[in-house]
Amino acid sequence: MDELAKQHNHQRCIDDAMTQARELCQRRQIKFTAIREQVLACVWAKHQPIGAYAILEELAKDSTRRPAPPTVYRALDFLLDNGLVHRIASLNAFIGCKDPSHHHQGHFLICRHCRNAMELDTDIINSAINTAATQHGFAVETPCVEVVGCCANCQELNRNA
Amino acid sequence: MDELAKQHNHQRCIDDAMTQARELCQRRQIKFTAIREQVLACVWAKHQPIGAYAILEELAKDSTRRPAPPTVYRALDFLLDNGLVHRIASLNAFIGCKDPSHHHQGHFLICRHCRNAMELDTDIINSAINTAATQHGFAVETPCVEVVGCCANCQELNRNA
DNA sequence: GGTGCAAATGCAATATTATAACATTTTATT
DNA sequence: AATAAAATGTTATAATATTGCATTTGCACC
């Protein structure tokens, strides 16, 4: 069974991510400001990629003032630059990185049904890409792999439906 | 040396693509209308992915009338549905498919310098993705692989610069 | 404590990409 | 010609993202 399908204490997911982010920023001497923290919390609220404007809506709920788009995009740029979130190009959306300690692009399995996205941490795909690229003399910099399909849990649900 | 770097008769590239498209549409009994043909020609004008609005500009040059966005998007939808072009999500752009005869998503090597994109035709990457996905019980439907880097030709140019 | 600088944020406007809704025209078929 | 379906035209607008400039904040230095 898929790990996302298991009952998991998601608050713990969020707390871990926030703690890790705080520590990482401290180590790197960069500022984890209130806005950046709020945006990261939004991104981690679910395992589904979230759009910039959806984040904006969430921020608007939490305070009386509604931030302008650049506020959100700047926070996202910061988080992207520091590997705390990834951008899913095919969805124009953002998702928390599950291992910000080292820079990487990440490969994603995106379920078309529940919209959850899972970050893979295998080298298999990168190796394959490098092999194929090398055959053409191409030097890989940032591979982008976003696989849409159906997650284990949703397959299960569909079978029982 | 990279195939795109070789002097290649690009007019021939275009002609081949157009002929193939015409034949494919005839076989499938679908209409290769003037607009669709013009849009496909724009897409094939270079080996660089082109955006919908850039296509629109090209069409505006070629005739006195300027088509509206839906005109271009509808033509693109038709071409996408029939596998004649691919969409590069990370660039919001479109590129001609080099083998429209069978449906596939295509993997792309995109050069950050010359902006050319090359479609790969290996199974290595799909296998790797399937292997990784299967480990998580995930059923792959449409893999999206867009690798940004530096093509052989641009590496060569940079070395000599 | 002030001063000045750089980073971060606020804010208004606008650019870019894409779609919705409905009218009109074209095409194929009867 | 009559009809229906497909394709295109047209207007408006949605959704995503950035630019440019003003203001505020945090921090090193005197």
Side-chain angles (χ1 to χ4, degrees):
Chain A
M1 195 191 219
D2 179 359
E3 48 261 48
L4 288 181
K6 288 179 198 154
Q7 294 297 349
H8 80 289
N9 184 339
H10 187 55
Q11 188 56 50
R12 168 119 197 229
C13 257
I14 299 173
D15 293 345
D16 283 357
M18 301 308 288
T19 304
Q20 206 174 121
R22 242 185 306 275
E23 289 173 359
L24 180 144
C25 288
Q26 205 153 31
R27 268 201 309 285
R28 294 190 190 160
Q29 310 254 52
I30 52 180
K31 290 168 204 160
F32 196 47
T33 64
I35 290 175
R36 291 167 180 174
E37 187 165 341
Q38 286 162 39
V39 169
L40 186 61
C42 286
V43 165
W44 272 100
K46 298 188 180 177
H47 285 286
Q48 300 169 356
I50 184 173
Y53 280 74
I55 292 171
L56 205 145
E57 292 304 317
E58 290 304 311
L59 297 188
K61 279 184 201 163
D62 292 352
S63 86
T64 46
R65 287 177 49 272
R66 156 178 297 263
T71 300
V72 171
Y73 279 101
R74 279 191 289 232
L76 285 169
D77 284 344
F78 171 88
L79 297 171
L80 287 168
D81 286 348
N82 290 287
L84 292 163
V85 307
H86 292 292
R87 180 166 193 273
I88 311 279
S90 59
L91 299 177
N92 295 325
F94 304 85
I95 190 164
C97 172
K98 69 176 192 180
D99 181 11
S101 63
H102 71 291
H103 265 268
H104 64 283
Q105 166 51 32
H107 306 146
F108 295 92
L109 301 180
I110 303 160
C111 180
R112 204 160 44 78
H113 300 89
C114 65
R115 309 227 158 256
N116 279 343
M118 194 194 314
E119 183 176 352
L120 298 178
D121 54 0
T122 69
D123 304 319
I124 314 177
I125 296 172
N126 275 334
S127 307
I129 288 174
N130 282 321
T131 302
T134 303
Q135 285 170 6
H136 295 272
F138 188 95
V140 173
E141 293 171 9
T142 52
C144 163
V145 177
E146 301 171 3
V147 180
V148 172
C150 185
C151 74
N153 191 40
C154 288
Q155 288 175 58
E156 186 75 22
L157 290 175
N158 284 348
R159 261 194 296 278
N160 300 342
Chain B
M1 197 192 217
D2 179 358
E3 48 260 50
L4 288 181
K6 287 180 197 150
Q7 295 297 350
H8 81 289
N9 185 340
H10 188 53
Q11 188 55 50
R12 169 119 196 228
C13 258
I14 298 173
D15 293 345
D16 283 356
M18 300 309 288
T19 303
Q20 207 173 123
R22 241 185 305 276
E23 289 172 357
L24 180 145
C25 288
Q26 205 152 30
R27 266 201 310 284
R28 294 191 190 159
Q29 311 253 53
I30 53 180
K31 290 168 205 160
F32 196 47
T33 63
I35 291 175
R36 291 167 181 175
E37 186 166 342
Q38 287 162 38
V39 169
L40 186 61
C42 285
V43 166
W44 272 101
K46 300 188 177 175
H47 286 286
Q48 301 169 356
I50 183 173
Y53 280 75
I55 292 172
L56 205 145
E57 292 304 316
E58 290 303 312
L59 297 189
K61 280 184 202 163
D62 293 351
S63 86
T64 46
R65 287 176 50 272
R66 156 178 298 263
T71 300
V72 171
Y73 278 102
R74 278 191 288 231
L76 285 169
D77 284 344
F78 171 88
L79 298 170
L80 286 167
D81 286 347
N82 289 287
L84 292 163
V85 308
H86 293 291
R87 180 166 192 274
I88 310 280
S90 59
L91 299 177
N92 295 323
F94 303 85
I95 189 164
C97 172
K98 69 176 192 179
D99 180 11
S101 63
H102 72 290
H103 265 269
H104 63 283
Q105 165 53 34
H107 307 145
F108 295 93
L109 302 180
I110 303 160
C111 181
R112 205 161 43 78
H113 300 90
C114 65
R115 309 228 159 257
N116 279 343
M118 194 195 315
E119 183 176 351
L120 298 177
D121 53 0
T122 69
D123 303 318
I124 314 177
I125 296 172
N126 275 334
S127 306
I129 287 174
N130 282 321
T131 301
T134 302
Q135 285 171 6
H136 295 271
F138 188 94
V140 173
E141 291 171 11
T142 53
C144 162
V145 178
E146 301 170 3
V147 180
V148 173
C150 185
C151 76
N153 191 41
C154 287
Q155 288 175 59
E156 185 76 21
L157 291 174
N158 283 349
R159 261 194 298 278
N160 299 343

